[in-house]
Coordinates of all heavy atoms in Angstrom, one line a residue:
F19 N -2.6 -7.5 6.3 CA -1.9 -8.7 6.7 C -2.8 -9.8 7.1 O -2.6 -11.0 6.7 CB -0.9 -8.4 7.8 CG 0.0 -9.5 8.2 CD1 1.1 -9.8 7.4 CD2 -0.2 -10.3 9.3 CE1 1.9 -10.9 7.7 CE2 0.6 -11.4 9.6 CZ 1.7 -11.7 8.8
K20 N -3.8 -9.5 7.8 CA -4.8 -10.5 8.2 C -5.6 -11.1 7.0 O -6.1 -12.2 7.1 CB -5.8 -10.0 9.3 CG -5.1 -9.8 10.6 CD -6.1 -9.2 11.7 CE -5.4 -9.1 13.0 NZ -6.3 -8.6 14.0
E21 N -5.7 -10.3 6.0 CA -6.4 -10.7 4.7 C -5.5 -11.7 3.9 O -6.0 -12.3 3.0 CB -6.8 -9.5 3.9 CG -7.9 -8.7 4.4 CD -8.2 -7.5 3.6 OE1 -7.9 -7.5 2.3 OE2 -8.6 -6.5 4.1
G22 N -4.2 -11.7 4.3 CA -3.3 -12.7 3.6 C -2.2 -12.0 2.8 O -1.4 -12.7 2.2
Y23 N -2.1 -10.7 2.8 CA -1.0 -10.0 2.2 C 0.2 -10.2 3.0 O 0.1 -10.3 4.2 CB -1.3 -8.5 2.0 CG -2.4 -8.2 1.0 CD1 -3.7 -8.0 1.4 CD2 -2.2 -8.2 -0.4 CE1 -4.8 -7.8 0.5 CE2 -3.2 -8.0 -1.3 CZ -4.5 -7.8 -0.8 OH -5.5 -7.6 -1.7
N24 N 1.4 -10.1 2.4 CA 2.6 -10.3 3.2 C 3.0 -8.9 3.9 O 2.3 -7.9 3.7 CB 3.8 -10.8 2.3 CG 4.3 -9.8 1.3 OD1 4.5 -8.6 1.5 ND2 4.6 -10.3 0.1
C25 N 4.0 -8.9 4.7 CA 4.4 -7.8 5.5 C 4.7 -6.5 4.6 O 4.2 -5.4 4.9 CB 5.6 -8.1 6.4 SG 5.3 -9.4 7.6
A26 N 5.5 -6.7 3.6 CA 5.8 -5.6 2.7 C 4.6 -5.1 2.0 O 4.4 -3.8 2.0 CB 6.9 -6.1 1.7
Q27 N 3.8 -5.9 1.5 CA 2.5 -5.5 0.8 C 1.7 -4.7 1.8 O 1.1 -3.7 1.4 CB 1.8 -6.7 0.3 CG 2.4 -7.3 -0.9 CD 1.7 -8.6 -1.2 OE1 1.4 -9.5 -0.4 NE2 1.4 -8.8 -2.5
S28 N 1.5 -5.2 3.0 CA 0.7 -4.6 4.0 C 1.1 -3.1 4.3 O 0.3 -2.2 4.4 CB 0.7 -5.4 5.3 OG 0.1 -6.7 5.0
V29 N 2.4 -2.9 4.4 CA 3.0 -1.6 4.6 C 2.8 -0.7 3.4 O 2.2 0.4 3.5 CB 4.5 -1.6 5.0 CG1 5.1 -0.3 5.0 CG2 4.7 -2.4 6.3
V30 N 3.2 -1.2 2.3 CA 3.1 -0.3 1.1 C 1.6 0.0 0.7 O 1.2 1.1 0.4 CB 3.8 -1.0 -0.1 CG1 3.6 -0.2 -1.4 CG2 5.3 -1.1 0.2
M31 N 0.7 -1.0 0.8 CA -0.7 -0.8 0.5 C -1.3 0.2 1.5 O -2.2 0.9 1.2 CB -1.4 -2.1 0.5 CG -1.0 -3.0 -0.7 SD -1.7 -4.7 -0.6 CE -3.5 -4.3 -0.8
A32 N -0.9 0.2 2.8 CA -1.4 1.1 3.8 C -1.2 2.5 3.5 O -1.9 3.4 3.9 CB -0.9 0.7 5.2
F33 N -0.1 2.8 2.7 CA 0.3 4.1 2.3 C 0.0 4.4 0.8 O 0.4 5.5 0.3 CB 1.7 4.4 2.6 CG 2.0 4.5 4.1 CD1 2.2 3.5 4.9 CD2 2.0 5.8 4.6 CE1 2.4 3.6 6.3 CE2 2.2 6.0 6.0 CZ 2.4 4.9 6.8
A34 N -0.6 3.5 0.1 CA -0.8 3.6 -1.4 C -1.5 4.9 -1.7 O -1.1 5.7 -2.6 CB -1.5 2.4 -1.9
D35 N -2.6 5.2 -1.0 CA -3.4 6.4 -1.3 C -2.5 7.7 -1.0 O -2.6 8.6 -1.8 CB -4.6 6.4 -0.5 CG -4.4 6.5 1.0 OD1 -3.6 5.8 1.6 OD2 -5.1 7.3 1.7
Y36 N -1.7 7.6 0.0 CA -0.9 8.8 0.4 C 0.1 9.2 -0.8 O 0.4 10.3 -1.0 CB -0.1 8.5 1.7 CG 0.8 9.6 2.1 CD1 0.2 10.7 2.9 CD2 2.1 9.6 1.8 CE1 1.0 11.7 3.3 CE2 2.9 10.7 2.3 CZ 2.4 11.7 3.0 OH 3.1 12.7 3.5
Y37 N 0.6 8.1 -1.4 CA 1.6 8.4 -2.5 C 0.9 8.3 -3.9 O 1.6 8.4 -4.9 CB 2.7 7.3 -2.4 CG 3.6 7.6 -1.2 CD1 3.5 6.8 -0.1 CD2 4.5 8.6 -1.2 CE1 4.3 7.0 1.0 CE2 5.3 8.8 -0.1 CZ 5.2 8.1 1.0 OH 6.0 8.3 2.1
G38 N -0.4 8.2 -3.9 CA -1.1 8.2 -5.2 C -0.9 6.9 -6.0 O -0.9 6.9 -7.3
L39 N -0.6 5.8 -5.3 CA -0.4 4.6 -6.0 C -1.7 3.8 -6.0 O -2.5 3.8 -5.1 CB 0.6 3.7 -5.2 CG 2.0 4.3 -5.0 CD1 2.8 3.4 -4.1 CD2 2.7 4.5 -6.4
D40 N -1.9 3.1 -7.1 CA -3.0 2.2 -7.2 C -2.8 1.0 -6.3 O -1.7 0.5 -6.2 CB -3.1 1.7 -8.7 CG -4.2 0.6 -8.9 OD1 -5.3 0.9 -8.9 OD2 -3.8 -0.6 -9.0
E41 N -3.8 0.6 -5.5 CA -3.6 -0.4 -4.5 C -3.1 -1.7 -5.1 O -2.3 -2.4 -4.5 CB -5.0 -0.7 -3.8 CG -4.8 -1.4 -2.5 CD -6.2 -1.5 -1.8 OE1 -6.4 -0.5 -1.0 OE2 -6.9 -2.4 -2.0
A42 N -3.6 -2.1 -6.3 CA -3.2 -3.4 -6.9 C -1.7 -3.3 -7.3 O -1.0 -4.2 -7.2 CB -4.1 -3.7 -8.1
F43 N -1.3 -2.1 -7.8 CA 0.1 -1.9 -8.2 C 0.9 -2.0 -7.0 O 2.0 -2.6 -7.0 CB 0.2 -0.5 -8.9 CG 1.7 -0.2 -9.2 CD1 2.3 -0.7 -10.3 CD2 2.4 0.7 -8.3 CE1 3.6 -0.4 -10.5 CE2 3.7 1.0 -8.6 CZ 4.3 0.5 -9.7
A44 N 0.5 -1.4 -5.9 CA 1.3 -1.4 -4.6 C 1.5 -2.8 -4.2 O 2.6 -3.2 -3.7 CB 0.6 -0.6 -3.5
A45 N 0.4 -3.7 -4.3 CA 0.5 -5.1 -3.9 C 1.5 -5.8 -4.8 O 2.3 -6.6 -4.3 CB -0.9 -5.7 -3.9
H46 N 1.5 -5.6 -6.1 CA 2.3 -6.3 -7.0 C 3.8 -5.8 -6.8 O 4.7 -6.7 -6.8 CB 1.9 -6.0 -8.4 CG 0.7 -6.9 -8.8 ND1 0.9 -8.2 -9.2 CD2 -0.6 -6.6 -8.9 CE1 -0.3 -8.7 -9.4 NE2 -1.2 -7.7 -9.2
I47 N 4.1 -4.5 -6.7 CA 5.4 -4.1 -6.7 C 6.1 -4.5 -5.4 O 7.3 -4.7 -5.3 CB 5.5 -2.5 -6.9 CG1 6.9 -2.1 -7.2 CG2 5.0 -1.8 -5.6 CD1 7.3 -2.4 -8.6
S48 N 5.4 -4.7 -4.3 CA 6.0 -5.1 -3.0 C 5.8 -6.6 -2.7 O 6.4 -7.1 -1.7 CB 5.3 -4.3 -1.9 OG 3.9 -4.5 -1.9
G49 N 5.2 -7.3 -3.6 CA 4.9 -8.7 -3.4 C 6.1 -9.6 -3.2 O 6.0 -10.6 -2.5
S50 N 7.2 -9.3 -3.8 CA 8.4 -10.2 -3.7 C 9.2 -10.0 -2.4 O 10.1 -10.8 -2.1 CB 9.4 -9.8 -4.9 OG 8.7 -10.1 -6.1
F51 N 8.8 -9.0 -1.6 CA 9.6 -8.7 -0.4 C 9.1 -9.3 0.9 O 9.7 -9.1 1.9 CB 9.7 -7.2 -0.3 CG 10.5 -6.5 -1.4 CD1 9.8 -6.1 -2.5 CD2 11.8 -6.4 -1.4 CE1 10.5 -5.6 -3.6 CE2 12.5 -5.9 -2.4 CZ 11.8 -5.4 -3.6
G52 N 8.0 -10.0 0.8 CA 7.5 -10.7 2.0 C 8.3 -11.9 2.5 O 9.1 -12.4 1.7
G53 N 8.2 -12.2 3.7 CA 8.9 -13.4 4.3 C 10.4 -13.1 4.3 O 11.2 -14.1 4.2
G54 N 10.8 -11.9 4.5 CA 12.2 -11.6 4.5 C 12.8 -11.7 3.1 O 13.9 -12.2 2.9
I55 N 12.1 -11.2 2.1 CA 12.4 -11.2 0.7 C 12.3 -12.6 0.1 O 13.2 -13.5 0.3 CB 13.8 -10.6 0.3 CG1 14.0 -9.2 0.9 CG2 14.0 -10.6 -1.2 CD1 15.4 -8.6 0.8
G56 N 11.2 -12.8 -0.5 CA 10.9 -14.1 -1.2 C 10.9 -15.3 -0.2 O 11.3 -16.4 -0.6
R57 N 10.5 -15.1 1.0 CA 10.5 -16.1 2.0 C 11.8 -16.7 2.3 O 12.0 -17.8 2.8 CB 9.5 -17.2 1.7 CG 9.1 -18.0 2.9 CD 8.0 -19.1 2.7 NE 6.7 -18.4 2.6 CZ 5.7 -18.9 1.9 NH1 5.8 -20.0 1.2 NH2 4.5 -18.3 2.0

């Protein structure tokens, strides 16, 4: 989050390794949900 990722990305990326997700994929798939869904 401090690096600039939104809230949803920060959560999903923090668990990406646990679920076997690529970090970039995790950031993209969750990117629309920040700011209370699309701000």
Side-chain angles (χ1 to χ4, degrees):
F19 186 77
K20 288 180 178 179
E21 288 176 28
Y23 293 97
N24 70 41
C25 297
Q27 289 172 314
S28 299
V29 170
V30 175
M31 291 172 68
F33 285 87
D35 64 313
Y36 181 83
Y37 290 102
L39 301 174
D40 174 75
E41 195 172 274
F43 176 79
H46 282 279
I47 198 72
S48 57
S50 299
F51 295 90
I55 306 175
R57 200 177 279 153

